[in-house]
Structures are given as structure tokens and as C-alpha cells.
Amino acid sequence: MSKFEGLKQKIKDNKYKIMLGTITIAGVVYVIISQNNKIKIQDLKIEELEANDVEHRNSINILKSVMSETVLVNLKDSAKRQLRYAEGRLQNGLKDGVISKVDEQLRREEIEFFSNQIENINKAIEIISEEN
């Protein structure tokens, strides 16, 4: 019994160290488990992003196969005609003084829209030209 009593006495003497060690180990285990869950969640997000990336690549490849340079040039010409028409309507309305403020704003927005479309088409033509 003396060995058992000696062990009991050592436990009593070091009970704060034992409690501190147990709390420390529990804290480390908690941190490891929580980090592991975060890593699993991040892995799932990465897999979703990779799947989305593959879908986007497939969509881009389909668009590239459909859009040739001649199709884009025809689209650009059509957008230019619409832009010139909107500019002409605005200029004629301003010159004659018969255009309302609402119509003037509408024509300006239309001009801005077609200008942006032409810029985007030019960028698309450059991208397709670089690949060929």
C-alpha cells in the first residue's frame, strides 16, 4: 500500500500541474480539431471553385468556337450603324430644338451603350486574333 499511498501523495502535491497539463492538452486538441474542420471546409470550397473554373473554361471554349473574326466584324459593323443612327437622331433633335430632355438623355445613354459594345467587340477580336 505504501506505493499506492506515495502515488496518491504525489498526485495531491502536483494536482495543479496535472490540471494545467490536462487543460493545455484539451485546448491543443480543440484547436487541432477546429483547424481540421476549417481545412475540410476550405478543401470543399477549392473543389467547388475548380468545378466552376472547368465550367467557365468550357463556356469560353464554346464561345470561341462559335465566334469567328468575321462574325465579330459583322457585329461591330451593326453596332456602328446603330451608334451612328443614335448620334444622328441626337444631333438633329438638338439642331432643330425639338428634342425633350428625357429623349436627349435616352439618346446619350444609347450612344454610350453602343460605344461600350464596340469596345468590347474590339477586345474580343484582339483575343481571337492573338490565338490564331
Side-chain angles (χ1 to χ4, degrees):
M1 281 299 243
S2 66
K3 288 184 181 181
F4 185 67
E5 288 176 4
L7 184 61
K8 278 175 86 177
Q9 187 60 39
K10 281 186 180 181
I11 290 174
K12 282 183 182 178
D13 292 342
N14 295 319
K15 71 179 178 182
Y16 294 112
K17 289 180 183 178
I18 293 170
M19 286 175 33
L20 181 63
T22 305
I23 292 171
T24 303
I25 291 171
V28 169
V29 169
Y30 174 77
V31 168
I32 290 172
I33 289 172
S34 66
Q35 289 297 323
N36 192 21
N37 287 339
K38 288 180 184 177
I39 290 171
K40 286 180 183 176
I41 291 171
Q42 287 175 350
D43 287 342
L44 289 174
K45 287 180 181 178
I46 289 172
E47 289 173 4
E48 289 176 11
L49 289 174
E50 289 173 351
N52 287 341
D53 191 32
V54 169
E55 290 176 17
H56 285 110
R57 275 192 236 132
N58 289 338
S59 299
I60 289 170
N61 289 334
I62 290 170
L63 288 173
K64 284 181 182 177
S65 69
V66 171
M67 289 296 200
S68 66
E69 198 166 335
T70 55
V71 172
L72 290 173
V73 169
N74 289 338
L75 187 62
K76 181 179 169 183
D77 290 341
S78 175
K80 276 185 182 179
R81 282 192 298 276
Q82 291 172 330
L83 174 65
R84 299 298 172 239
Y85 180 74
E87 287 174 342
R89 286 187 70 184
L90 177 64
Q91 291 300 324
N92 290 338
L94 290 174
K95 183 172 66 172
D96 296 340
V98 294
I99 193 169
S100 68
K101 292 291 181 186
V102 174
D103 284 339
E104 180 182 352
Q105 182 64 29
L106 178 67
R107 297 293 166 245
R108 292 190 189 280
E109 288 173 1
E110 199 174 21
I111 290 169
E112 183 179 339
F113 172 77
F114 288 121
S115 297
N116 290 336
Q117 288 296 97
I118 291 171
E119 288 177 24
N120 290 336
I121 293 169
N122 285 333
K123 290 176 187 176
I125 290 172
E126 287 177 17
I127 291 170
I128 288 177
S129 301
E130 289 174 0
E131 289 182 4
N132 295 335

